[in-house]
Structure formats: C-alpha cells, structure tokens
Amino acid sequence: MNIVNGKTKVLGLIGDPIEHTGSPAIHNLLASKLGDDAIYVPFRVRSKRLEEAVEGAYALGIEGLNVTVPHKVEVMQYVTELDDAALEIGAVNTLARIRGGYKGYNTDFSGFMRELDSLDIQVNGRDVIVLGAGGAAKAVIYTLNRLGARQIYILNRSIEKAEEIFGDQPGIKIMGFDGWKSIPSDKYICIQCTSVGLSPEDEACVIEDEGFYDLIESAVDLIYKPKETAFMKKVAAHGGKAYNGLRMLVFQAASSYEFFMKKEVPEEIVEELYHELDS
Ligand code: NDP
C-alpha cells in the first residue's frame, strides 16, 4: 500500500453496512499495480446522512466513491450529472468527481457485460431466465436487453415488486419461483441475482427443485462468496456450465477506477487481479 501524503488521491465506498466489503482490497491492489498515489477507504453512511456525506466528500476533495446497499437509488438525487445508462437502470454505484460535484455511473452493468463477453456467453436472440429483481437484477436486465435477449423470464419472491420495476417492459415475463414449470422446455441462459446462497448461507439455493436445472445450459451466479454456490453446483450436476460473479466484481471495480482516476486500466492488469482474487 502507498504511504499517504498531501497529494494522495482519496477514493472510497459509501454504504451501510460496509464491514464485509471486498472493494478496498481490490481498489488498493489496483492502485498499487498501476503505481498510482491513491487510497480507497470504506465509509459507513446512514441513509439520513447520505446527502451530507456526498457534499462532504466533495468538500474534502474525495476523487471518487463507490455506492452500495442501501444508497444506490437514493444517491441519484445528489449527483451533478448522471450517465445515460445509470439513468435508464435507475441505480448508481459509482460517483466520479467533476466540476461542482460528482457524475453518477452504473458499472455493475458494464462489469456484467464484460463478464458475459469474457465467458463467451452470447445473449443476442436468446431467451434468458433471471432469478431476482433487486438492484443487481436491474443492471443485469438492462444489459440483457442491450445485448438483444429475445425473452426474459424474471422469477422473484415478491412478484409485485418485480412488476413495479419491470412490468411495463416488452419481452419480459414475471413470475414467482415456482413459475419455472410454465417456461417452455428448452435450454436457457440463467442469471442468479438473488442474495440467497451468499456466505455463510452456503447451502441455500433459491430454487431447490431439481427439475428446474434441466432448463439451464449456462449460468452466472452474481454471488462470488462462496466460490461455488449451491446454485452453481446444481447447474453443473445437470450438465450446465456455471460461473460465479467474481469476474463481474473485478470488471465493475476496474470500470469504477477508470472513472475515478480518468485513466484506462489495461486488460492484462484486470486479468491479473482476477486471478489473484480467485486463488
Ligand atoms: P437486493 O437486496 O437489491 O436484492 C436482493 C434480491 O434477492 C431480491 O430479488 C430479493 O427478493 C431476493 N431475495 C433476498 N432474500 C431472499 C430469500 N430469502 N428468498 C428469495 N429471494 C430472496 O440485492 P442486490 O440486487 O444488490 O444483490 C443481490 C446479490 O448480487 C447479492 O448477493 C450481491 O452480493 C450480488 N452482487 C454481486 C455483484 C458482483 O459484482 N458480482 C454486484 C452486485 C450484487 P425480493 O424482491 O422478494 O425481496
């Protein structure tokens, strides 16, 4: 890690809770690999102090912030500019300093897009099953639409909530988790966007029914802790290919870092970072 001095650029993360975040490790490693004089610090920010936190960060000269649960939507009202994709997705996870404030971006979307690309999962013209309808699912569904998915089946615990967010979008069908039985028998790409199965609940799986997994050809679980989730194990046991969300995490961090530092992160550094974190 760099020794902090008067010129060190300060980056950070705002969220609540933030105790278990892996972002500082990734960003500080990136800064050190790129030889940048920068440090990344997590800040726990309560919802009622969010506006003050963003203003205060700007006043303190903080170069950039990641934004995590529960502030990704709320923070949109405190940015000076908003990237088009972030506006369409309806969530911001990156604030990059500009004149007068911060510009808000969503790098979950670009991170997920890069993960699909690196895994050679072709979405164009395909039907896709998405499990979950929370913040991450918003970025995933935006990406799938941009990549030309034909039909998206969204399965969520709260059908009403999913309908509120995605109900008016063409090419989307919304159902509960047992709705999979009404999906035509075929092979699908499936993206697991719920928090079910996240460590320490390693054995939990959002759909237990084995029949569901016969529908899946390739799948990404956005969860990366544990490395192989119960969902991924079931996909693999039924002959599908399953990947975790670590690539997305690394790619979204690299994109955020590029916005913060206004410089490109070479592809080989991103790869190196991924392999170090995966080991
Ligand atoms: P949200 O809290 O916004 O959404 C959580 C989703 O999980 C909702 O669809 C929710 O359903 C569902 N869910 C939660 N608990 C249960 C349960 N017991 N049974 C069924 N469904 C449940 O979280 P995010 O969308 O931000 O994150 C989701 C996951 O994605 C997390 O595990 C997070 O770590 C991971 N993630 C990974 C990223 C990466 O870079 N790899 C980036 C962002 C997130 P309901 O709507 O009914 O409440």
Side-chain angles (χ1 to χ4, degrees), residues 103-180:
K103 180 164 179 177
Y105 296 91
N106 188 307
T107 66
D108 283 338
F109 128 71
S110 42
F112 177 62
M113 193 177 255
R114 284 171 79 177
E115 165 146 16
L116 289 179
D117 187 49
S118 75
L119 296 171
D120 204 21
I121 296 178
Q122 308 285 342
V123 166
N124 191 21
R126 295 290 307 271
D127 294 349
V128 183
I129 300 171
V130 174
L131 306 178
K138 278 187 185 174
V140 162
I141 288 162
Y142 174 82
T143 311
L144 295 173
N145 276 323
R146 256 181 83 146
L147 292 174
R150 194 175 65 161
Q151 172 81 56
I152 301 173
Y153 297 92
I154 302 176
L155 280 57
N156 198 43
R157 177 176 60 179
S158 152
I159 299 178
E160 263 173 39
K161 197 177 119 193
E163 265 164 1
E164 241 171 65
I165 306 169
F166 305 105
D168 57 352
Q169 294 187 22
I172 285 185
K173 283 193 182 145
I174 296 167
M175 50 191 80
F177 289 122
D178 55 1
W180 71 266

Side-chain angles (χ1 to χ4, degrees), residues 132-136 156-158 161 193-196 222-223 245 248-249:
N156 198 43
R157 177 176 60 179
S158 152
K161 197 177 119 193
C193 307
T194 76
S195 41
V196 180
L222 299 199
I223 292 173
M248 173 174 170
L249 180 78

Side-chain angles (χ1 to χ4, degrees), residues 2-277:
N2 295 328
I3 296 180
V4 176
N5 62 66
K7 291 187 200 150
T8 304
K9 289 186 171 169
V10 180
L11 312 172
L13 166 75
I14 52 174
D16 185 19
I18 37 89
E19 286 79 3
H20 302 293
T21 177
S23 292
I26 299 180
H27 283 270
N28 286 317
L29 196 56
L30 257 178
S32 127
K33 282 183 182 296
L34 293 164
D36 290 333
D37 186 4
I39 186 162
Y40 185 103
V41 191
F43 300 102
R44 182 179 182 199
V45 173
R46 307 277 192 186
S47 291
K48 62 179 184 205
R49 312 295 300 270
L50 182 61
E51 182 174 10
E52 284 172 76
V54 174
E55 275 181 14
Y58 187 74
L60 288 170
I62 290 178
E63 209 62 41
L65 290 169
N66 280 127
V67 183
T68 189
V69 177
H71 306 316
K72 286 185 182 182
V73 177
E74 191 79 359
V75 81
M76 293 172 75
Q77 50 188 310
Y78 306 126
V79 299
T80 305
E81 272 182 44
L82 200 52
D83 175 64
D84 290 344
L87 179 64
E88 267 192 67
I89 294 163
V92 157
N93 77 329
T94 299
L95 302 179
R97 188 180 185 86
I98 56 168
R99 181 184 280 270
Y102 292 99
K103 180 164 179 177
Y105 296 91
N106 188 307
T107 66
D108 283 338
F109 128 71
S110 42
F112 177 62
M113 193 177 255
R114 284 171 79 177
E115 165 146 16
L116 289 179
D117 187 49
S118 75
L119 296 171
D120 204 21
I121 296 178
Q122 308 285 342
V123 166
N124 191 21
R126 295 290 307 271
D127 294 349
V128 183
I129 300 171
V130 174
L131 306 178
K138 278 187 185 174
V140 162
I141 288 162
Y142 174 82
T143 311
L144 295 173
N145 276 323
R146 256 181 83 146
L147 292 174
R150 194 175 65 161
Q151 172 81 56
I152 301 173
Y153 297 92
I154 302 176
L155 280 57
N156 198 43
R157 177 176 60 179
S158 152
I159 299 178
E160 263 173 39
K161 197 177 119 193
E163 265 164 1
E164 241 171 65
I165 306 169
F166 305 105
D168 57 352
Q169 294 187 22
I172 285 185
K173 283 193 182 145
I174 296 167
M175 50 191 80
F177 289 122
D178 55 1
W180 71 266
K181 292 173 188 142
S182 67
I183 297 176
S185 181
D186 202 345
K187 288 289 181 189
Y188 295 84
I189 296 165
C190 179
I191 316 296
Q192 201 303 104
C193 307
T194 76
S195 41
V196 180
L198 187 62
S199 191
E201 308 295 332
D202 295 21
E203 300 307 316
C205 190
V206 75
I207 298 182
E208 294 287 353
D209 203 334
E210 296 291 332
F212 170 68
Y213 296 89
D214 288 331
L215 294 174
I216 302 176
E217 176 186 273
S218 51
V220 177
D221 192 333
L222 299 199
I223 292 173
Y224 47 87
K225 263 188 207 161
K227 267 169 82 163
E228 191 182 22
T229 62
F231 168 82
M232 290 167 64
K233 285 181 188 157
K234 283 186 190 283
V235 171
H238 287 256
K241 287 187 180 153
Y243 308 93
N244 67 23
L246 185 61
R247 283 178 186 80
M248 173 174 170
L249 180 78
V250 172
F251 287 137
Q252 65 80 21
S255 296
S256 294
Y257 192 89
E258 290 180 335
F259 287 127
F260 296 155
M261 302 294 281
K262 294 155 182 82
K263 69 187 277 188
E264 216 169 290
V265 178
E267 207 59 49
E268 60 270 21
I269 298 279
V270 181
E271 272 303 306
E272 211 177 281
L273 190 63
Y274 169 74
H275 289 294
E276 278 175 36
L277 293 167

